[in-house]
Amino acid sequence: MEVIIRPTAEHASRLTAQIIHDAVRANPDIVLGLATGRSMLRVYAALVELGAGEGADYARVHTFNLDEYIGLAPDDPRSYHHYMNEHFFRHLNIDLAHTHIPDGTAEDFVAESSKYETSITDCGGIDLQVLGIGASGHIGFNEPLSAMRSRTREKALTPQTIEQNSQYFGGAEHVPKRAITMGVGTILDARRCVLLATGARKASIIAKAVEGPVTSMISATALQLHAKCTVIVDEDAAAELEQQDYYHWLFENEPEWEAYRNTPGL
Ligand code: GLP
């Protein structure tokens, strides 16, 4: 795992977008794993901007989203299907037939989950998985005690997660109580992971996820076991990390980051 600290949420989001954009340009057949949530809004906006400006071609890109609420139809404005179309897919030359999001209205979630896993395998696996982190430490909707080897499945949401996402539903009582999500094991199978967290409300969980012990109580700690995972945070989300000086040093000195540290705005 490596940690990159950028001055603001805008810098951190633009850096995340630039990494995705560069990955698409390097491999037009890339399989992307995508995330939702407030943190990702800036990333999608920056990607759309980059796509228009420097012409990344998404025609052959395949995408797999992490999760969807159970009970929400794709055209429900609160669904992650709607979020992805609204903020990302409709702005780029992405083939909607290449986009995959778990079906929150499936009749049989065991069958839907296994179909989702098969689709990922049939596409050759996920090359780059983008992640946010929830207040409970979840990645996707892998709530505390999700098995480190879990695969796509139905999952109950914690009261904390329901509260965190209640603003989109006009109150916690209207938030779906369950979701279908890629498992921790599904996420760990991606060839590269990039997790973005911004804002002071993420500082405590980021410190636990990055510098704490690996535990299924905080699913994001599983990323410490991943061979190539980059955690990108702004100063606010980095505030409780003990090794901030080291992470700053890495960004300034590692050859991999040279092009990025010399790009204004990242
Ligand atoms: C939801 C999603 C997660 C996401 C989290 C963070 O719970 N299932 O994948 O990481 O939100 O959301 P935000 O970026 O709004 O803090």
Side-chain angles (χ1 to χ4, degrees):
M1 179 182 274
E2 60 188 339
V3 181
I4 302 295
I5 305 176
R6 304 311 303 133
T8 67
E10 193 59 34
H11 289 89
S13 309
R14 283 190 174 276
L15 175 59
T16 306
Q18 191 68 51
I19 290 169
I20 302 166
H21 179 76
D22 290 348
V24 172
R25 293 219 301 178
N27 175 12
D29 295 300
I30 196 167
V31 180
L32 294 175
L34 298 176
T36 50
R38 276 155 288 197
S39 322
M40 291 301 147
L41 291 174
R42 282 197 188 90
V43 175
Y44 292 129
L47 270 176
V48 169
E49 209 177 286
L50 283 168
E54 296 171 35
D57 185 6
Y58 283 78
R60 302 206 312 260
V61 171
H62 284 74
T63 68
F64 287 89
N65 264 77
L66 285 165
D67 46 20
E68 179 59 284
Y69 289 107
I70 285 184
L72 296 193
D75 60 354
D76 189 310
R78 303 160 305 176
S79 71
Y80 287 158
H81 279 78
H82 187 269
Y83 172 111
M84 291 307 299
N85 279 320
E86 196 53 31
H87 299 294
F88 193 44
F89 297 152
R90 74 183 178 90
H91 302 283
L92 296 159
N93 69 328
I94 202 156
D95 181 348
L96 284 181
H98 293 175
T99 66
H100 306 263
I101 304 176
D103 180 1
T105 59
E107 280 191 8
D108 177 346
F109 287 105
V110 174
E112 171 64 15
S113 301
S114 128
K115 197 176 91 187
Y116 204 66
E117 289 281 335
T118 304
S119 305
I120 295 173
T121 309
D122 288 350
C123 269
I126 292 170
D127 294 301
L128 172 58
Q129 176 67 59
V130 184
L131 298 158
I133 185 170
S136 68
H138 68 213
I139 44 178
F141 268 133
N142 290 287
E143 299 289 39
L145 288 181
S146 288
M148 296 282 179
R149 300 175 74 168
S150 50
R151 312 302 305 185
T152 303
R153 70 217 183 288
E154 191 180 348
K155 196 76 193 139
L157 303 181
T158 61
Q160 191 181 16
T161 296
I162 289 171
E163 189 54 46
Q164 183 196 303
N165 293 338
S166 62
Q167 71 175 92
Y168 299 109
F169 293 85
E173 66 276 24
H174 304 299
V175 181
K177 306 289 177 285
R178 303 180 77 76
I180 173 166
T181 179
M182 275 187 206
V184 179
T186 319
I187 293 168
L188 290 181
D189 280 352
R191 294 180 186 92
R192 181 175 186 190
C193 290
V194 175
L195 183 146
L196 171 70
T198 57
R201 73 192 173 92
K202 296 286 168 75
S204 148
I205 197 65
I206 276 294
K208 289 179 186 145
V210 170
E211 294 178 339
V214 174
T215 167
S216 61
M217 283 303 291
I218 298 171
S219 296
T221 62
L223 295 169
Q224 295 176 26
L225 303 171
H226 194 278
K228 188 156 178 57
C229 175
T230 307
V231 173
I232 300 174
V233 286
D234 64 357
E235 296 275 6
D236 288 342
E240 293 183 32
L241 289 167
E242 283 180 12
Q243 300 285 330
Q244 289 178 52
D245 291 347
Y246 172 53
Y247 309 140
H248 280 298
W249 185 90
L250 279 179
F251 188 69
E252 293 309 325
N253 290 281
E254 279 291 297
E256 184 190 350
W257 298 106
E258 190 175 344
Y260 297 95
R261 62 180 172 258
N262 294 328
T263 306
L266 301 187

